[in-house]
Amino acid sequence: MARASKSAASTKLKTYRAKRDFSKTAEPSGERAVARSKQLRFVIQKHAATRLHYDFRLEYEGVFWSWAVTKGPSLDPLEKRLAVQTEDHPLDYGDFEGTIPKGEYGGGTVMLWDRGFWAPEPGYDPEKGMKKGEIKFVLAGQKLKGGYVLVRLKRREGEKRDNWLLIKHRDEYAREGDGEGILELDKSVASGRSLDQIAAGKGKKPSPFMFAKNFDADAVWHSKPKANAKQFPSAKKAEPARGKAIKTLPDFIAPQLAYSADKPPSGDQWAHEIKFDGYRMQMRVEGGEAKLLTRKGLDWTDKFAAIAAAGSKLPDCILDGELCAVDSTGAPHFPTLQNAISAGKTESLLYFAFDLLCIGDEDLRPLPLSQRKARLKTLLHGAPSSLRYVEHFISHGEAVLDAARKMNLEGIISKRLDRPYREGRRDDWVKIKTRPAREVVIGAWTQEGERFRSLLMGEFRGRDFVYLGRVGSGFTQASAAALHAKLKTLEQDRSPFSGPNAPPRERGVHWAKPELVAEIEIGGWSDIGIARQAAFKGLREDKPAREVTPEATMPTKHSAASAKKASPAIIKSKSKDPQILGVTISHADKLLWPDEGVSKRDLAEYYESVGEWMLTHLKGRPCSIIRAPDGVKAELFFQRHAMLGQSKLITQVKTPGEKKPYIQFDSVEAIVAAAQIGGVELHPWNCQPNAPEVPGRLVFDLDPAPDVPFTRVIEAAKEFRERLEAIGLVSFCKTTGGKGLHVVTPFKRAPELRWPEAKGFAQEVCRQMAADSPELYLINMSKAQRGGKIFLDYLRNDKIATAVAPLSPRARKGAPVSMPLTWAQVKAGLDPAKFNVRTVPALMKKSKAWEEYCDSERAFHPAAKKLLGKRGR
């Protein structure tokens, strides 16, 4: 391919140089000669300028062709990314990482997000493609790989630059439905730094661009299998290393296990894989017949006949992997796996293979992991779709862990690429979890009447079966019934627990033989080793109860902290009361929701996690609270006014017509202080912030009679939305933490608006809806008339009337939460019970509910005129 002369390249850089003052910016001028590469280079730079974008650059004829990709590249062929063509850049820009001064062209921080080599589609001329407006090419980068196409759009009137679309080719590197997942790998490929570290000038400087050997672009374009997809493909295929010669396959190979650690190891000798949330399973294929063996060697082939049938198409081999079910996002989901097994519907399960132990007459275990995985990738190319190869990432383990955390995955496994496969727990495999999931043994359960409520769990430590706390959430109606039935067969008269903290016999507690193993998620540990915010995920039938012992942590000094987290000592704590955001939480382990095991500390940590979101709806508004100092089963009391000894973090506000000051929560610390006094529910006024006399929103409470199915409540909420939209208002929906729904509509500030007018408006909306469908709705509070109907409650729209705050817990069974919803969630199948103190923090990290709330305020009086016009008709 022809290379441009220095003078030709210099001509192309006139626009680039004219836009920059090189006495102020550290960007290269393009005067420095850059060594030629055997392959054309590409660079993607994440650029935090006026707007965050990704600069995509392809080397051609001595310069970088450049585009600004507004949302970043995608791995999903269905996602077309806008790419605005910019001026050509010099080749030495491929090493630039730093900060362009504010006020200069492109001012902001630049990160070398990805770089590597590219080639046009075989037989394709890039220069002609540039003129034609279509460039087809293949990438071999550290993050992006495979085929792409750039397509130019026709210029619209007034546009000064060419707009293109960057589209992923359908190949083995495509990820439909998860195109943006690659952007979670958010560290520099040249320095390992984040944007913030680069902006602060911290960390190591970027390494210079590496030069690659030739790679076979044709092979990559057509998705032919490569020895290692994470390295640059080579045109010359090296002969794979041979394993140890064997005459027959072993009947079973005990698995290699990982130590736990609190952070991934660093260095290019480590590969980082996703930690799958399923059953560890060895697949043994011989003579066209596949067997699936648990990690203890039990034959579970009959349970997973479809996976075994797919495996039977492979040559003789032994694979190590994880059998999983995936949710709607494509992420492994253990409860879905449990449900599939219970129902006997395992056809949709997937087998994720991460190691190849034997193939044919070779035992590959003595070979390094890098060679075993290369052979595995080749083996699985073209295999049935239910058999998946597990990709890995080399170096940047922290970035991989961060991406797993943002995608709500269980964690990652880091493995030494240069080590053989060895049975048992080894320090060359390390697991790092994004959430503290672990296995426990069930030693008791509680029930109320005949209704199952919670589990008591433990683990074996020598001769003792040590108590670890309660599990009160995560159960579906079906899983609770199945679990209850199994536990009844294991009931015994005496407690199996021994050692410190063994629980006493209480009303409703039933002891069980410690034989059932469960997988749970834990929010943390108390100072005496009791799990907090434990949620049930499913039973593990593949592990004997006696093997459930404290997790083994890396036997190194740097893992001491991790070891303490994994296996808290069961001793009395001598530490002071914990502090959360500077608020001291006394009696932190007191259970406020005893059946669910939710403590005072749990409530404070919940408020800490969701407090910033709640402030939008609390700050500047007087607020009443429901307190449960001795738990929700004991006496509750209602507080609206300030009291002696109250935390100074909680604002006291005087309102017209009230002698005593009200309380108000104007900071996250103040909300945490509510937890310290047992404030389990928060009920703010619906006024404008800092203007208690002026209505700021209306709340319509849909309260169904006991015999009304929840699907009817959902339809009623949708009808409210339609009616409010018809008069120019935007509405939002949330669960109440009970059996109903709230529809909320915000107003623009109107100082002349008063509460009687707002309340009358709310009443008229409900009156019209009830009049149109009297068989469905009523606005009369009389219980005698409510059978089969939904009470449309408008009475929360008065000066001192309140409604439970979005994300506020409720003093009810299950520790439910009033959950803000998107309207897409308000449909058949919505289950308010799944929103509770344990589950909501993780759900809110992914939720887009109420994002437009502040921008959706509408004027009251125009809407009122339209509503009255409807009444006139």
Side-chain angles (χ1 to χ4, degrees):
M1 186 174 292
R3 299 282 177 173
S5 67
K6 183 176 180 181
S7 60
S10 182
T11 301
K12 296 177 181 179
L13 296 174
K14 282 184 177 180
T15 303
Y16 168 83
R17 290 169 178 156
K19 291 183 175 184
R20 290 162 175 82
D21 184 345
F22 296 106
S23 67
K24 296 180 180 179
T25 180
E27 296 168 280
S29 65
E31 296 291 344
R32 180 174 66 87
V34 176
R36 292 179 61 176
S37 168
K38 294 180 180 180
Q39 296 294 320
L40 294 171
R41 291 161 281 208
F42 86 89
V43 171
I44 301 177
Q45 286 157 314
K46 188 173 182 179
H47 191 173
T50 304
R51 292 185 179 180
L52 182 67
H53 63 276
Y54 292 74
D55 292 316
F56 183 70
R57 313 191 194 281
L58 299 176
E59 177 186 3
Y60 194 75
E61 296 291 338
V63 296
F64 275 126
W65 287 341
S66 297
W67 293 263
V69 183
T70 53
K71 292 186 178 181
S74 172
L75 301 184
D76 190 341
L78 300 177
E79 292 180 346
K80 300 175 176 62
R81 295 302 204 202
L82 177 65
V84 181
Q85 190 170 6
T86 62
E87 71 276 9
D88 292 342
H89 281 54
L91 292 183
D92 45 353
Y93 213 96
D95 283 332
F96 176 67
E97 181 172 273
T99 300
I100 302 170
K102 187 176 181 181
E104 293 300 297
Y105 178 76
T109 305
V110 176
M111 171 205 288
L112 286 164
W113 184 80
D114 194 17
R115 60 186 181 184
F117 301 86
W118 77 281
E121 181 181 1
Y124 200 83
D125 186 331
E127 192 165 0
K128 289 182 180 179
M130 174 63 85
K131 292 178 181 178
K132 181 182 177 182
E134 183 180 70
I135 307 172
K136 296 180 180 180
F137 54 95
V138 61
L139 299 179
Q142 295 184 51
K143 294 177 181 175
L144 294 189
K145 302 180 189 299
Y148 282 83
V149 61
L150 276 161
V151 180
R152 186 170 57 224
L153 301 174
K154 185 178 180 180
R155 279 197 189 187
R156 297 177 181 177
E157 185 177 352
E159 288 183 337
K160 297 180 180 180
R161 293 185 175 184
D162 285 326
N163 290 332
W164 298 62
L165 295 177
L166 177 64
I167 307 169
K168 181 73 185 80
H169 179 72
R170 292 184 183 275
D171 56 25
E172 62 182 309
Y173 303 104
R175 296 291 184 270
E176 289 192 22
D178 187 27
E180 292 189 353
I182 191 70
L183 300 182
E184 304 292 349
L185 301 180
D186 200 25
K187 295 291 179 66
S188 166
V189 295
S191 66
R193 299 184 293 175
S194 66
L195 273 174
D196 289 341
Q197 290 173 318
I198 295 168
K202 296 180 179 179
K204 65 180 181 179
K205 300 299 181 183
S207 59
F209 204 108
M210 302 296 292
F211 299 106
K213 300 176 182 178
N214 291 340
F215 71 95
D216 187 347
D218 181 73
V220 179
W221 184 262
H222 294 293
S223 302
K224 292 181 179 178
K226 291 294 165 187
N228 187 346
K230 294 299 170 187
Q231 304 298 326
F232 299 134
S234 172
K236 295 182 179 180
K237 292 184 179 180
E239 285 295 324
R242 295 249 337 149
K244 179 182 177 182
I246 54 175
K247 293 183 178 180
T248 58
L249 293 176
D251 291 334
F252 174 71
I253 297 173
Q256 180 162 341
L257 304 174
Y259 280 105
S260 293
D262 53 356
K263 62 180 181 179
S266 59
D268 291 342
Q269 73 272 33
W270 289 92
H272 309 283
E273 300 173 346
I274 293 300
K275 187 178 188 300
F276 290 91
D277 199 2
Y279 280 149
R280 181 81 174 270
M281 202 70 61
Q282 192 171 114
M283 179 179 286
R284 185 182 186 278
V285 184
E286 186 174 32
E289 181 181 352
K291 288 185 177 181
L292 294 168
L293 307 172
T294 70
R295 53 185 169 183
K296 297 302 290 184
L298 301 176
D299 190 337
W300 279 16
T301 307
D302 291 343
K303 289 188 177 184
F304 310 110
I307 294 293
S312 67
K313 295 178 171 57
L314 299 176
D316 292 1
C317 61
I318 296 180
L319 307 180
D320 194 359
E322 196 93 359
L323 196 145
C324 301
V326 296
D327 61 17
S328 58
T329 68
H333 193 243
F334 190 74
T336 302
L337 174 62
Q338 287 283 301
N339 293 338
I341 295 173
S342 297
K345 298 178 179 179
T346 60
E347 297 81 5
S348 61
L349 301 182
L350 302 175
Y351 183 76
F352 291 91
F354 49 71
D355 217 324
L356 178 59
L357 310 186
C358 297
I359 184 165
D361 59 355
E362 298 176 70
D363 183 348
L364 304 186
R365 286 176 290 172
L367 298 180
L369 174 64
S370 59
Q371 295 181 20
R372 300 197 308 271
K373 288 206 70 174
R375 298 281 295 273
L376 174 63
K377 188 174 181 70
T378 302
L379 174 68
L380 292 181
H381 180 73
S385 60
S386 57
L387 307 181
R388 305 287 178 88
Y389 170 77
V390 176
E391 295 281 3
H392 62 267
F393 300 88
I394 300 173
S395 73
H396 305 300
E398 290 283 3
V400 180
L401 179 63
D402 188 51
R405 184 178 292 110
K406 290 178 179 178
M407 296 167 68
N408 202 32
L409 300 176
E410 188 179 6
I412 66 173
I413 298 279
S414 301
K415 303 175 181 177
R416 282 286 294 260
L417 286 163
D418 57 345
R419 297 289 175 82
Y421 188 96
R422 299 180 294 170
E423 300 175 3
R425 204 171 303 279
R426 304 289 178 172
D427 62 4
D428 45 20
W429 282 23
V430 182
K431 59 184 176 182
I432 308 95
K433 297 180 180 180
T434 60
R435 53 181 186 261
R438 64 169 299 173
E439 290 138 5
V440 296
V441 179
I442 302 171
W445 78 94
T446 66
Q447 64 184 61
E448 190 173 290
E450 288 300 313
R451 186 180 179 186
F452 171 83
R453 297 299 303 169
S454 64
L455 300 173
L456 280 68
M457 60 184 174
E459 68 181 7
F460 288 97
R461 299 184 186 178
R463 295 182 178 179
D464 286 332
F465 179 57
V466 176
Y467 178 64
L468 296 180
R470 297 195 183 206
V471 186
S473 70
F475 309 104
T476 63
Q477 186 173 1
S479 67
L483 185 58
H484 197 189
K486 289 184 178 182
L487 286 169
K488 286 180 178 179
T489 67
L490 298 174
E491 187 169 8
Q492 61 182 25
D493 293 332
R494 59 184 179 83
S495 170
F497 296 101
S498 56
N501 301 323
R505 185 76 177 242
E506 298 176 4
R507 183 180 178 183
V509 172
H510 297 257
W511 306 122
K513 296 177 183 177
E515 296 180 5
L516 288 183
V517 178
E519 183 165 341
I520 61 169
E521 282 187 11
I522 303 172
W525 296 96
S526 74
D527 294 328
I528 57 172
I530 302 300
R532 292 185 282 108
Q533 296 182 342
F536 180 77
K537 293 179 65 180
L539 292 178
R540 296 213 66 116
E541 300 176 35
D542 59 332
K543 188 168 186 177
R546 276 285 169 183
E547 291 189 9
V548 178
T549 57
E551 283 195 325
T553 56
M554 283 288 284
T556 56
K557 293 181 180 179
H558 72 270
S559 295
S562 176
K564 290 179 182 178
K565 290 178 184 176
S567 288
I570 308 299
I571 58 175
K572 293 290 183 181
S573 172
K574 297 180 180 180
S575 63
K576 298 179 180 179
D577 291 329
Q579 287 196 341
I580 297 174
L581 293 182
V583 179
T584 299
I585 307 298
S586 62
H587 306 293
D589 293 326
K590 177 182 287 185
L591 294 178
L592 299 183
W593 285 269
D595 287 344
E596 293 75 21
V598 177
S599 68
K600 193 173 175 182
R601 186 207 305 252
D602 295 332
L603 178 62
E605 291 180 344
Y606 171 79
Y607 282 149
E608 178 190 21
S609 66
V610 301
E612 286 291 345
W613 200 101
M614 294 184 74
L615 275 182
T616 301
H617 306 278
L618 292 174
K619 191 172 182 178
R621 298 176 175 92
C623 187
S624 302
I625 60 174
I626 292 177
R627 293 173 58 182
D630 295 315
V632 299
K633 286 190 170 183
E635 184 178 0
L636 307 178
F637 70 92
F638 181 83
Q639 178 186 344
R640 63 171 58 158
H641 298 294
M643 299 177 67
L644 291 175
Q646 179 177 286
S647 170
K648 293 181 179 179
L649 293 168
I650 301 174
T651 305
Q652 297 187 26
V653 57
K654 291 185 177 180
T655 61
E658 297 288 332
K659 295 181 179 180
K660 295 182 180 180
Y662 270 78
I663 56 177
Q664 189 167 287
F665 298 95
D666 293 333
S667 67
V668 179
E669 290 81 359
I671 302 174
V672 173
Q676 162 57 17
I677 58 175
V680 294
E681 293 190 14
L682 307 180
H683 293 253
W685 288 18
N686 292 312
C687 60
Q688 292 285 352
N690 303 307
E693 297 295 315
V694 182
R697 60 191 173 209
L698 296 181
V699 177
F700 299 94
D701 183 7
L702 282 65
D703 185 7
D707 57 343
V708 174
F710 191 64
T711 51
R712 287 257 309 277
V713 184
I714 291 171
E715 292 306 314
K718 291 179 178 179
E719 183 175 342
F720 256 113
R721 182 192 188 192
E722 292 172 358
R723 287 176 175 269
L724 294 171
E725 281 184 347
I727 56 176
L729 299 179
V730 181
S731 59
F732 299 84
C733 189
K734 66 184 181 74
T735 65
T736 63
K739 60 184 184 298
L741 292 173
H742 282 170
V743 176
V744 182
T745 184
F747 293 135
K748 288 183 178 179
R749 185 183 291 265
E752 71 280 6
L753 178 62
R754 288 295 179 263
W755 283 107
E757 190 176 4
K759 181 179 178 182
F761 176 92
Q763 181 178 8
E764 180 61 19
V765 172
C766 295
R767 188 200 66 78
Q768 290 186 17
M769 188 164 162
D772 289 344
S773 303
E775 75 283 4
L776 300 178
Y777 312 120
L778 78 166
I779 57 173
N780 189 320
M781 292 182 65
S782 171
K783 291 187 177 181
Q785 300 179 33
R786 289 183 61 186
K789 297 181 182 181
I790 298 173
F791 172 44
L792 306 181
D793 185 357
Y794 60 88
L795 299 174
R796 301 181 183 278
N797 302 294
D798 212 339
K799 178 182 173 181
I800 63 172
T802 64
V804 67
L807 295 183
S808 170
R810 303 304 303 269
R812 300 172 181 176
K813 290 181 181 179
V817 164
S818 178
M819 182 67 174
L821 305 168
T822 65
W823 280 108
Q825 291 176 284
V826 184
K827 62 181 181 180
L830 172 64
D831 180 9
K834 76 175 185 179
F835 304 118
N836 56 58
V837 169
R838 291 193 180 89
T839 61
V840 163
L843 293 173
M844 286 304 297
K845 289 179 181 179
K846 301 183 291 183
S847 176
K848 295 184 179 180
W850 294 38
E851 279 188 345
E852 307 299 324
Y853 183 89
C854 293
D855 296 328
S856 299
E857 296 175 345
R858 297 293 185 265
F860 172 83
H861 289 99
K865 288 181 180 179
K866 289 183 179 180
L867 181 68
L868 294 176
K870 286 179 175 290
R871 181 176 64 179
R873 290 196 298 271

